[in-house]
Amino acid sequence: MIFSKITKKSLVAGGISILLLLFSMCSRLLLNVQLPKISEGFSELIRFSSLFRNIGIIGITGALGSTIELKKVSFKGVVKLLCEVLAYTLPITGFVFAVNVQSIQRNTFIAAFLPFLEKTYWFTATILAGSLLLAILGQLKLSPRTIILCLGGISLATFLFSILYPSRNLALMTVWGLLSFLSASLLENEKVQYKFSYVATPVLAILLIAVLILDWKDSGNDLLDALLIVLAFMTVTSWELFPRATNSLTTFKSLVVTRIFLGISLLALNPLVYEVLVKYTLLQIANLTTIYSLLEFYLITLIIGLVAVLIESFGIAKLYSGQRTMQVTLPIAVFVISISYLIYDGLQFLDTGLVSLQTSQGNSLYLALINLFIVTLLYLFIQGIFNRFWYSNFIFIMLMMILSYANYAKLMARDEPIIRPDFGMIKSLPDIAQMVNLKVVYGLIAAFVVVIILAVVLQRFVLKGPIFRWPVRIVVLFLSGFLLFAFAQTENKMNLINWDDEKVTDSNPLMSVLSKAGFSAHPGALEMSTKKYGPAITFMSTVIIKTMDKPSDYSEAQINKVVKKYKKVASQINKTRTNGSLKKQTVIYVLSESYADPRMLPTVKLSANPIPYEQSLEKSNTSGLMYSPSYGGGTANIEFEALTGLSMNNFDPSMATPYVFLVPKVNNLPVITDYFKIKTAIHPYSGVTYNRKNVFKKFGFQHFYSFTGDKLTYTSKLGKSNYVSDDSAYKQLLKQINTTNRGQFIQLSTMQNYMPYTLGTYAKNNFKASGNLTKASLNSVESYVQGLNYTDQDLKMLVSKVSKMKKHVTIVWYGDHLPGLYEGGLVSGKNLTKYDNKLHQTNYFIYSNFKHKKISNTKVVSPNMFTPMMFKQTNTKVDPYVALLTEINKYVPAAERNKFMSASGNYIEYKNLSKKAKSTLKDYKLIQYDITAGNQYSIKNKEFVK
């Protein structure tokens, strides 16, 4: 075997060399950046320490060479050494590729398997070539003394070459390193010792330090660099001739220590490791991190690396000593986890290529580490369950391959990654099968069979027995399971924070880590999230999703009772309604992005009225305030309420996005489109966000005009805005209205007034704002208001054209939420609570181009009330479901976020609601639970939703 016997003097030499290597590595990292607030003296110390690298390499090659017993060297031993080297290079390569996708290159991957061919990693070539030469010399039976003399001659020639060609640093280091390795081995085996080394060693050490100082003072001097290498070799050789400290450690201890030296050297000198650490350093400096924080990180990294090396070193020592051990499996585990995650992540970009992956995640080092950590927890959990190395590894690999391909297939088919609710969609397996290539499925099944056979064979003959003893197994299972649950729970909270437009706090350690790593919950844009933040993090954000709490009296009998009740209510309502259905009506729901009059907020004043026309429509039509469940976002939830009549207030808080977490798994939701034969959706933006593309298809829309669906005709923008103007959106709407003389339903969600709100977006700005807001916020208000003014002008054009149409057209027009631009005293401290209701109130009106009665209970409503109000304004007969919504509109028209709002716009507590209101709410929750989480008894009753 190689490196099997180490003396105390070699232990000292190796220890000092390792320290020099680590110091130089840290210093070189710090030299890559402009460090803020650092003294000149400390800066010079860093530069001085960076020169230790070559000395350390010569020292460690000599120390390792001295541990070789020539009589035990063989070609088999060299092959084993190569395997040991690969046990570091392969896992490191996989790990670095996973956390730093920009390092993925073909030549880097090849270098992982053939590290000795990588010129920046020549240390591996030195120890492998040195061991191979010693094995060859052993076969040639040459006298060691003769070989030593030859090495002396080669050393002299190399010295002359160093003087003549000092700039050939790589060649010099490679040759001197090899000479150091061979000389130390031969001198130690022949027990060559000279007393003159008592004097020579300190003298050479002093000369080495002197040249080191000169090289520091005169940086870039090739001759001094070459002399430094020569003196390092001479000092190491002289130390090997030292007569004292020649007693050796035991074989087991020698195996452990030499593997520690080898492992640390391979880690410290690996160019990929260095590249990742450079990247981390640059990222930290960009965040103005102090030098002490960086040194703390380097120390933590060193400790983690040292622990890994210790585990592997003891494992190899036990293996060579004939002991059974699982410690040697660490490299396999790291490689399997890293490559599995890399495939999981990389397949998402199969259609767009490696460059797209590197662009999306190139600077996401922390997020990649968290993703990898989550996958590692899954790996440990599986190992804890099966407790057999090969079984658990192959099960993990197959699980990751299936998940990776399923994730890719779903992204291709539906622009959405695999989420936790998908695992409960057994009924949808036929649909899922249509999404994937059956040849791939058959291939995976075949691979699964092969893997099972291979796992059984390996488990029977290689690394047999359990991985953990019972106490350790229980700890592994508990910790990995607990941390996976903690990630799921934390990300669920971050989803809720996102929708409530609150800020992440440091009270939850995991939340703080995720936030500082760059993760921001985007439950409405999972495709973006999985490609930007990583698939593991995104998947965990979908693990804990609850639809609703089951009502205590939920049963088929109770649902039938409620259905019967509202059949009677519908019959009573229909006595005064003359319009039998909506089939001849054109009904349009217009969600106006972020539309809300800023003047509704206390202290906010504008130099002029930006929306005179919209306000005139409010005065002459059904209108009021819409109680929005969100501030600054949550558009999809508001749209969901308006289209279905279901309330976010009834759902569990974890149901952050019904479009994503509810609609895909529930069939037969009641939707306004059910009452029309022709139904069209328009959204002048990506149709992928919030899963709209799939949701609208399920809702029965025959056409969805968007950037990713049916082609939009009108896509003009205003000024420097990134979004399609309302003028274009309304022209697209008018075009659709005129496509048929029959009745139809159209859903339009605009984009013009979407954030950001920056002065200069529009060519002119006619409004000035004042109020208890920051200057920056007031500037945003002024830009935003200019956009509202353009919307007002475009709305006038739309209504003017609709008013002249002969067919009956009704427009339900509303702002979805306030823009998230208000900052300052008005929305901070006690005011944030005081004006909470104002921050959730937008404008709405219902316009019809034909004669109608003005309806009641409209001053403040939630978006789920628009459908019963539209039925009432068009004087259309209702089914029991709309009758239920009509009763809700009558008694509890505004309920969101577990808060009820009165007609005055102020909050009212549940206990202050009327008995009739509470009874109606109870019925509403029963029906909503039945439809979304129950057995859909009400839907099965064909008369409930017609």
Side-chain angles (χ1 to χ4, degrees), residues 301-342:
T301 304
L302 174 62
I303 292 171
I304 294 172
L306 187 58
V307 168
V309 168
L310 283 172
I311 293 172
E312 180 65 9
S313 299
F314 274 97
I316 291 173
K318 288 178 181 179
L319 196 65
Y320 279 134
S321 301
Q323 301 178 44
R324 179 189 174 277
T325 178
M326 286 290 174
Q327 288 172 281
V328 290
T329 63
L330 180 63
I332 301 174
V334 173
F335 185 75
V336 165
I337 293 168
S338 300
I339 296 301
S340 295
Y341 172 70
L342 188 61

Side-chain angles (χ1 to χ4, degrees), residues 536-689:
I537 288 178
T538 300
F539 178 83
M540 294 305 291
S541 71
T542 70
V543 169
I544 301 178
I545 303 293
K546 185 179 181 181
T547 304
M548 283 181 69
D549 289 323
K550 184 178 180 180
S552 58
D553 57 343
Y554 177 71
S555 66
E556 185 175 6
Q558 186 62 30
I559 292 297
N560 289 336
K561 185 178 177 181
V562 173
V563 170
K564 186 177 180 180
K565 174 181 177 179
Y566 286 98
K567 279 184 181 179
K568 292 180 179 179
V569 174
S571 179
Q572 191 66 30
I573 291 172
N574 291 339
K575 287 179 181 179
T576 60
R577 302 280 177 95
T578 58
N579 190 12
S581 73
L582 293 167
K583 291 181 180 179
K584 293 182 180 180
Q585 300 274 340
T586 294
V587 175
I588 304 159
Y589 282 10
V590 178
L591 182 155
S592 189
E593 174 62 40
S594 302
Y595 188 98
D597 187 353
R599 295 170 300 175
M600 293 193 297
L601 293 175
T603 77
V604 177
K605 296 180 180 180
L606 302 175
S607 59
N609 182 2
I611 51 173
Y613 183 73
E614 191 273 329
Q615 288 192 327
S616 71
L617 286 174
E618 287 187 25
K619 291 177 182 178
S620 57
N621 292 276
T622 301
S623 65
L625 298 176
M626 190 198 80
Y627 179 12
S628 175
S630 305
Y631 168 79
T635 298
N637 290 356
I638 299 153
E639 189 177 82
F640 171 82
E641 285 199 18
L643 292 173
T644 64
L646 300 173
S647 175
M648 291 298 298
N649 195 55
N650 292 337
F651 286 131
D652 184 86
S654 66
M655 179 52 68
T657 321
Y659 273 7
V660 175
F661 303 126
L662 177 71
V663 178
K665 68 175 184 177
V666 177
N667 294 320
N668 303 317
L669 287 173
V671 188
I672 183 62
T673 52
D674 295 337
Y675 303 96
F676 298 85
K677 288 188 176 180
I678 301 173
K679 35 251 186 170
T680 303
I682 303 169
H683 181 46
Y685 195 59
S686 170
V688 172
T689 53

Side-chain angles (χ1 to χ4, degrees), residues 412-441:
M412 292 300 99
R414 297 186 178 178
D415 299 305
E416 182 188 79
I418 288 290
I419 57 177
R420 198 277 303 164
D422 290 333
F423 290 89
M425 295 173 65
I426 303 299
K427 294 178 182 179
S428 299
L429 279 177
D431 295 330
I432 294 171
Q434 292 177 11
M435 289 166 32
V436 301
N437 186 327
L438 288 179
K439 290 182 179 179
V440 175
V441 175

Side-chain angles (χ1 to χ4, degrees), residues 743-761:
Q744 63 174 318
F745 176 78
I746 306 170
Q747 163 65 36
L748 167 64
S749 297
T750 70
M751 282 301 297
Q752 177 183 289
N753 296 314
Y754 193 68
M755 64 179 182
Y757 311 101
T758 309
L759 282 176
T761 297

Side-chain angles (χ1 to χ4, degrees), residues 284-319:
Q284 290 304 296
I285 295 302
N287 295 327
L288 301 178
T289 302
T290 64
I291 180 68
Y292 303 105
S293 298
L294 279 173
L295 292 175
E296 181 182 354
F297 169 77
Y298 295 154
L299 180 61
I300 293 170
T301 304
L302 174 62
I303 292 171
I304 294 172
L306 187 58
V307 168
V309 168
L310 283 172
I311 293 172
E312 180 65 9
S313 299
F314 274 97
I316 291 173
K318 288 178 181 179
L319 196 65

Side-chain angles (χ1 to χ4, degrees), residues 181 230 318 327 347 371 421 430 445 764 829 911 921:
F181 185 88
V230 172
K318 288 178 181 179
Q327 288 172 281
L347 270 180
N371 275 282
I445 293 172
K764 61 179 181 178
K911 64 181 182 180
L921 274 175

Side-chain angles (χ1 to χ4, degrees), residues 880-898:
Y881 177 65
V882 177
L884 169 60
L885 297 180
T886 304
E887 290 294 282
I888 289 291
N889 178 242
K890 188 175 179 180
Y891 297 106
V892 201
E896 299 288 358
R897 305 181 301 134
N898 207 27

Side-chain angles (χ1 to χ4, degrees), residues 197-471:
S197 65
Y198 286 130
V199 177
T201 301
V203 169
L204 287 169
I206 292 169
L207 285 173
L208 181 64
I209 294 170
V211 173
L212 187 65
I213 293 171
L214 289 173
D215 200 13
W216 168 51
K217 294 290 185 182
D218 186 13
S219 60
N221 190 313
D222 292 334
L223 184 58
L224 289 174
D225 290 339
L227 284 174
L228 200 62
I229 298 169
V230 172
L231 285 169
F233 167 76
M234 294 175 69
T235 305
V236 168
T237 304
S238 178
W239 177 253
E240 284 300 326
L241 296 172
F242 213 74
R244 295 189 177 183
T246 58
N247 49 323
S248 303
L249 303 182
T250 62
T251 301
F252 183 80
K253 288 181 180 179
S254 294
L255 288 169
V256 172
V257 172
T258 53
R259 266 61 196 181
I260 291 173
F261 285 168
L262 178 64
I264 294 175
S265 301
L266 289 170
L267 285 175
L269 295 172
N270 192 306
L272 285 176
V273 173
Y274 182 73
E275 181 183 331
V276 169
L277 291 175
V278 167
K279 187 168 187 176
Y280 175 87
T281 305
L282 291 170
L283 287 172
Q284 290 304 296
I285 295 302
N287 295 327
L288 301 178
T289 302
T290 64
I291 180 68
Y292 303 105
S293 298
L294 279 173
L295 292 175
E296 181 182 354
F297 169 77
Y298 295 154
L299 180 61
I300 293 170
T301 304
L302 174 62
I303 292 171
I304 294 172
L306 187 58
V307 168
V309 168
L310 283 172
I311 293 172
E312 180 65 9
S313 299
F314 274 97
I316 291 173
K318 288 178 181 179
L319 196 65
Y320 279 134
S321 301
Q323 301 178 44
R324 179 189 174 277
T325 178
M326 286 290 174
Q327 288 172 281
V328 290
T329 63
L330 180 63
I332 301 174
V334 173
F335 185 75
V336 165
I337 293 168
S338 300
I339 296 301
S340 295
Y341 172 70
L342 188 61
I343 293 170
Y344 182 29
D345 187 28
L347 270 180
Q348 299 183 122
F349 299 87
L350 188 62
D351 61 323
T352 53
L354 177 61
V355 174
S356 180
L357 167 63
Q358 293 174 331
T359 302
S360 297
Q361 301 179 11
N363 292 313
S364 303
L365 179 63
Y366 313 120
L367 288 170
L369 284 168
I370 295 173
N371 275 282
L372 200 59
F373 181 64
I374 291 171
V375 173
T376 301
L377 291 174
L378 175 63
Y379 177 86
L380 290 173
F381 189 75
I382 291 173
Q383 286 219 325
I385 291 174
F386 293 96
N387 204 29
R388 294 295 185 275
F389 182 74
W390 294 113
Y391 292 159
S392 57
N393 267 273
F394 283 121
I395 287 168
F396 172 79
I397 290 169
M398 286 308 302
L399 177 64
M400 289 300 296
M401 293 307 100
I402 292 169
L403 181 63
S404 300
Y405 180 72
N407 196 56
Y408 160 74
K410 193 179 176 193
L411 279 167
M412 292 300 99
R414 297 186 178 178
D415 299 305
E416 182 188 79
I418 288 290
I419 57 177
R420 198 277 303 164
D422 290 333
F423 290 89
M425 295 173 65
I426 303 299
K427 294 178 182 179
S428 299
L429 279 177
D431 295 330
I432 294 171
Q434 292 177 11
M435 289 166 32
V436 301
N437 186 327
L438 288 179
K439 290 182 179 179
V440 175
V441 175
Y442 296 147
L444 286 171
I445 293 172
F448 190 64
V449 173
V450 172
V451 160
I452 290 175
I453 296 171
L454 190 59
V456 171
V457 172
L458 287 172
Q459 192 62 55
R460 186 177 178 85
F461 298 105
V462 183
L463 297 172
K464 297 182 289 185
I467 304 171
F468 310 111
R469 294 180 180 177
W470 267 109

